[in-house]
Amino acid sequence: ATFSGTPPQDSNGELNLTVTASDGALAASASFALIVDPANNAPEILNVVYAGEDFGQVLFTDPDIGDAHTASVTGLAVIGDEGLLNGADAFDFLSLAPVNQLADTVYFEFGLSGEVSAELADGLSEGETLTFDYTITIADLAGAESEAMLTFSVNEDGFLF
């Protein structure tokens, strides 16, 4: 004989069970502990808040209370004439503060060097923009992760919008 079951979602821990088999005349029992290990849940991005044109914060939550998190820039797409960057690494334009573990936030700031800003002002035509789409990954220490997109654009005047 076999028996099976599925614990409810997010259920974990130890469950003490006793199984009894009977043929109507005789019965036999056995007791055991069934241990269900918890599954790691990924952090969930709640919102990206731009506090200004070039800085803000990523807000997230994690169903696993007490998980520690990291944040990193894991992707970048530059839309427009990348040649105007004159060899500058666009990954260097975005900085992330350490993750605030208590508030589940990470602050970011986008900044162009004076040289790159001048190159863009000289190289972009009226109405032309250069857009930077950064992928930010929030991960817990067990490897579960979520991504957020940060977008910054620069026009011919060098302003972000």
Side-chain angles (χ1 to χ4, degrees):
T2 62
F3 64 94
S4 64
T6 302
Q9 183 174 347
D10 296 328
S11 175
N12 62 72
E14 185 174 313
L15 179 61
N16 293 310
L17 299 172
T18 299
V19 177
T20 303
S22 173
D23 65 2
L26 298 173
S29 296
S31 296
F32 62 95
L34 175 65
I35 299 172
V36 178
D37 292 328
N40 183 44
N41 296 296
E44 299 169 18
I45 306 296
L46 298 176
N47 201 359
V48 175
V49 178
Y50 292 88
E53 58 191 17
D54 60 354
F55 64 97
Q57 62 184 329
V58 177
L59 308 171
F60 63 94
T61 187
D62 193 327
D64 299 326
I65 297 170
D67 275 3
H69 300 90
T70 61
S72 57
V73 180
T74 55
L76 169 64
V78 178
I79 298 121
D81 184 1
E82 285 186 67
L84 295 173
L85 297 177
N86 202 21
D89 186 353
F91 275 101
D92 293 339
F93 303 157
L94 184 68
S95 60
L96 301 177
V99 173
N100 180 328
Q101 302 293 340
L102 296 176
D104 285 347
T105 58
V106 61
Y107 291 92
F108 59 84
E109 185 171 359
F110 179 81
L112 300 173
S113 68
E115 182 179 314
V116 171
S117 187
E119 285 283 332
L120 293 178
D122 290 343
L124 289 170
S125 302
E126 178 78 27
E128 186 180 12
T129 62
L130 192 61
T131 299
F132 303 86
D133 286 334
Y134 292 92
T135 303
I136 305 302
T137 299
I138 307 293
D140 66 22
L141 300 183
E145 57 187 39
S146 294
E147 294 181 340
M149 182 70 67
L150 304 179
T151 299
F152 304 93
S153 294
V154 181
N155 65 17
E156 74 279 359
D157 295 323
F159 296 113
L160 300 163
F161 60 92

